[in-house]
Amino acid sequence: MSVSRRKFLKWIGAAGLGSTVGKSVFAAGSKHFKGYPNSLGILHDITLCVGCRSCEAACTKVNELPAPDKPFTDLSVLNQYRRTTPKAYTVVNKHEVPGQKIPLFRKNQCNHCLEPACASACFVRAFKKTETGAVTYDHTVCVGCRYCMVACPFEIPTYEYDEPLTPRIMKCTMCYPRIIN
């Protein structure tokens, strides 16, 4: 007996439909998340930032990241737009505002969103929103699909392309290891 591909797919479809009849199905976003009481957040007052890059230096030191190519005292890097990288979880960018003499500086790092898009896109749950407020990443379950990178509207998660055997997604940790201790 020969079974055509079309007939086989009809059987599989009917079997799948039959197994879901009478069961409730919920979409991933159907539940409203109100947040965790007493969770922490990150506050950056953009009106007070002078672009000194001290926050970049502190983040690099605390997370034991490699030093950048140019020292933190070299402010010429502010003349070009920069993104976070696997080796820089926090970057400061300078924006010239028409009609203003003083430029605007903006710190770019993970916002640890209330409802993080990176976590909702991760089908293996490598990203999780913790009760402390931090969005954490577990590299042991990550499959490297990089959906989190596509989902994040702030372009924060980055991929270690230069690690051929054990690449990971890298982003700000909100100093989670320090918060829980």
Side-chain angles (χ1 to χ4, degrees), residues 169-181:
I169 297 291
M170 303 300 282
K171 69 170 211 58
C172 166
T173 63
M174 195 173 166
C175 296
Y176 183 70
R178 298 179 80 176
I179 292 171
I180 59 174
N181 288 333

Side-chain angles (χ1 to χ4, degrees), residues 16-34:
L17 180 63
S19 66
T20 60
V21 172
K23 295 182 181 177
S24 297
V25 178
F26 295 100
S30 66
K31 199 164 86 174
H32 182 65
F33 178 66
K34 294 183 181 176

Side-chain angles (χ1 to χ4, degrees), residues 3-125:
V3 176
S4 70
R5 181 176 176 200
R6 180 179 292 240
K7 189 177 275 189
F8 175 75
L9 291 174
K10 282 183 183 179
W11 288 345
I12 295 297
L17 180 63
S19 66
T20 60
V21 172
K23 295 182 181 177
S24 297
V25 178
F26 295 100
S30 66
K31 199 164 86 174
H32 182 65
F33 178 66
K34 294 183 181 176
Y36 294 113
N38 303 319
S39 66
L40 303 172
I42 296 175
L43 175 64
H44 171 70
D45 189 348
I46 198 168
T47 63
L48 299 176
C49 183
V50 294
C52 67
R53 298 183 63 206
S54 293
C55 56
E56 288 185 39
C59 178
T60 299
K61 182 179 178 183
V62 166
N63 290 295
E64 299 174 357
L65 299 171
D69 295 335
K70 294 184 179 181
F72 292 111
T73 54
D74 184 356
L75 301 182
S76 67
V77 298
L78 297 175
N79 294 328
Q80 62 186 26
Y81 175 78
R82 297 177 304 140
R83 279 192 60 194
T84 59
T85 68
K87 296 177 175 106
Y89 299 164
T90 302
V91 294
V92 175
N93 285 308
K94 179 172 79 171
H95 302 277
E96 298 293 338
V97 180
Q100 287 188 350
K101 294 178 184 176
I102 303 170
L104 182 70
F105 297 97
R106 181 176 166 265
K107 180 172 79 163
N108 195 20
Q109 72 180 63
C110 181
N111 297 317
H112 299 277
C113 304
L114 181 64
E115 296 184 45
C118 59
S120 66
C122 185
F123 60 90
V124 294
R125 299 201 174 158

Side-chain angles (χ1 to χ4, degrees), residues 100-180:
Q100 287 188 350
K101 294 178 184 176
I102 303 170
L104 182 70
F105 297 97
R106 181 176 166 265
K107 180 172 79 163
N108 195 20
Q109 72 180 63
C110 181
N111 297 317
H112 299 277
C113 304
L114 181 64
E115 296 184 45
C118 59
S120 66
C122 185
F123 60 90
V124 294
R125 299 201 174 158
F127 281 96
K128 292 181 182 166
K129 178 74 173 179
T130 65
E131 291 187 22
T132 63
V135 176
T136 61
Y137 167 72
D138 182 0
H139 68 91
T140 62
V141 296
C142 180
V143 295
C145 68
R146 293 168 276 180
Y147 288 165
C148 56
M149 292 174 62
V150 175
C152 178
F154 307 105
E155 298 181 320
I156 296 300
T158 58
Y159 191 70
E160 289 182 314
Y161 289 103
D162 58 341
E163 291 290 333
L165 299 176
T166 57
R168 300 170 294 173
I169 297 291
M170 303 300 282
K171 69 170 211 58
C172 166
T173 63
M174 195 173 166
C175 296
Y176 183 70
R178 298 179 80 176
I179 292 171
I180 59 174

